[in-house]
Amino acid sequence: MRRWMLKIAFAAVAILLQTLTGFACTCGPTFSVLDEYDHAQVVVIARVKAVQKIEQNAKETYGDNVHSQLVVEKVYKGAVQPGQALVFTQGSRTDCSWSFSDDLIGQKVLLYLNKPRTGSDWRVSSCGRSTALNDAT
């Protein structure tokens, strides 16, 4: 009987520990500016134009269900043009992608990007050197 209760207790603890497992973004070492530039396919300064909510039940729900529109102001590298609008998918705490908020509207950001797959939105890695232009070093 005692052995049976120990098995049940062990199983209950194992189940509880599994439900407490969380996921978080883990970044490696930060690249130098030159290395980040070399690894990126696109490097631009862009202005955040809009942060838009999408319907909660939309098929493409992700993060906080937000898409952001940025307008390219200056191109340092890549096949984008000044004035071009880029749509970004909202990140989450678990996927190491930027989360855009309304307080960024109108602000300039320096972005090191890789081209999205055809039909997909852009993403900004929170592990790289992308940052608000005022904070760029």
Side-chain angles (χ1 to χ4, degrees):
M1 177 74 164
R2 180 174 232 158
R3 186 177 232 179
W4 182 251
M5 291 184 76
L6 282 173
K7 286 182 181 181
I8 291 174
F10 179 74
V13 168
I15 290 170
L16 286 174
L17 288 176
Q18 284 182 334
T19 60
L20 297 177
T21 302
F23 299 97
C25 170
T26 304
C27 298
T30 303
F31 289 123
S32 70
V33 172
L34 291 176
D35 286 340
E36 188 84 15
Y37 182 88
D38 286 342
H39 286 100
Q41 295 172 327
V42 174
V43 180
V44 297
I45 291 177
R47 184 178 301 274
V48 179
K49 183 177 179 182
V51 176
Q52 303 168 325
K53 295 278 182 188
I54 61 173
E55 290 184 32
Q56 188 70 21
N57 60 359
K59 181 180 179 182
E60 56 195 308
T61 57
Y62 185 79
D64 290 331
N65 303 318
V66 175
H67 286 225
S68 300
Q69 184 180 35
L70 283 74
V71 177
V72 175
E73 293 201 350
K74 183 165 182 144
V75 178
Y76 294 101
K77 180 180 180 182
V80 295
Q81 301 296 318
Q84 182 177 347
L86 305 176
V87 177
F88 288 79
T89 296
Q90 181 78 343
S92 71
R93 292 184 183 115
T94 61
D95 72 351
C96 298
S97 294
W98 268 25
S99 295
F100 292 92
S101 60
D102 288 337
D103 63 327
L104 286 174
I105 294 173
Q107 303 229 1
K108 291 182 182 181
V109 290
L110 172 63
L111 302 174
Y112 296 85
L113 304 167
N114 288 309
K115 292 181 184 176
R117 292 187 303 254
T118 302
S120 295
D121 294 335
W122 293 82
R123 290 182 184 265
V124 181
S125 172
S126 59
C127 294
R129 298 192 71 90
S130 294
T131 188
L133 191 57
N134 295 339
D135 299 331
T137 57

